[in-house]
Amino acid sequence: MEVAVIKYNAGNVQSVLYAMERLGANATLTDDWETIQKADKVIFPGQGEASTAMKYLKERKLDQLIKSLEQPFFGICLGLQLLCEFSEEYDTQCLGIFPIQVKKFPPLDKVPHIGWNNLQNLQSPLLAGLDDSAYVYYVHSYYAAVDPAFTIATSHYIEDFSALLQRDNYYAMQAHPEKSSLAGEKILTNFLNL
């Protein structure tokens, strides 16, 4: 299986590449249109800052490419946030796959949200084999609001937020599955099996 991991200078890609290798997938880090279009699956990883990442995507017209893809697509952490419509982080217009606002957790002394937290309200084949006892690893200061049309799992930190989103072939997760032990491995395996 060929997996394209989108390169957009958003960090944390090596752990995703290692996770794909452990699961037997051939993953390539790339910003090449043709490689991404031909891949069986696409992963949009990242940690970093929204406006800088969007600038990189737009300069290479990857923003247009991402919105045109039809194979299973998985945004992780910053990848989830950039798939939303707008981020409060430097007032950034994002990709708009999910018509959801990304907001900063209040109050400031409680962010970032770092550590293990469980998933709740699971409702997708991406989460098959997991339940509310599944814990995943978070590092984030911004969150996507819960939207019943697109939220396929929630977590709670200060308030409920979208732990995972889905719209058509687009899936996204705020936590880092590649750092989330057996639960994260199960989610990545389910994604590869979609």
Side-chain angles (χ1 to χ4, degrees), residues 4 6 36 40-45 62 65-67 69-76 79-80 83 95 97-98 126 165 167-172 191 194:
I6 295 181
I36 295 168
D40 300 304
K41 305 283 193 309
V42 178
I43 294 180
F44 188 42
L62 290 168
L65 174 63
I66 288 168
K67 291 189 264 190
L69 296 174
E70 297 181 359
Q71 67 267 63
F73 184 101
F74 192 26
I76 296 172
L80 173 143
L83 288 172
L95 294 165
I97 300 292
F98 301 106
L126 185 66
L165 297 168
R167 181 178 186 179
D168 302 323
N169 59 308
Y170 295 91
Y171 299 81
F191 173 70
L194 289 174

Side-chain angles (χ1 to χ4, degrees), residues 80-185:
L80 173 143
Q81 295 178 17
L82 295 179
L83 288 172
C84 292
E85 193 162 1
F86 174 83
S87 175
E88 286 184 354
E89 188 172 27
Y90 297 107
D91 294 330
T92 304
Q93 288 297 323
C94 299
L95 294 165
I97 300 292
F98 301 106
I100 295 172
Q101 305 287 307
V102 173
K103 302 174 182 178
K104 187 162 190 171
F105 281 118
L108 297 180
D109 64 343
K110 299 271 191 177
V111 295
H113 171 210
I114 299 176
W116 295 85
N117 205 337
N118 70 315
L119 298 174
Q120 301 167 346
N121 308 307
L122 288 68
Q123 47 187 307
S124 169
L126 185 66
L127 302 167
L130 299 173
D131 58 29
D132 286 7
S133 67
Y135 275 75
V136 292
Y137 185 75
Y138 288 97
V139 182
H140 64 125
S141 299
Y142 293 83
Y143 69 96
V146 173
D147 185 319
F150 305 108
T151 301
I152 57 172
T154 63
S155 278
H156 184 87
Y157 181 73
I158 301 173
E159 58 186 273
D160 288 343
F161 63 90
S162 290
L164 288 103
L165 297 168
Q166 180 185 348
R167 181 178 186 179
D168 302 323
N169 59 308
Y170 295 91
Y171 299 81
M173 182 173 181
Q174 181 61 65
H176 288 275
E178 76 283 5
K179 296 182 177 180
S180 294
S181 191
L182 294 177
E185 185 173 290

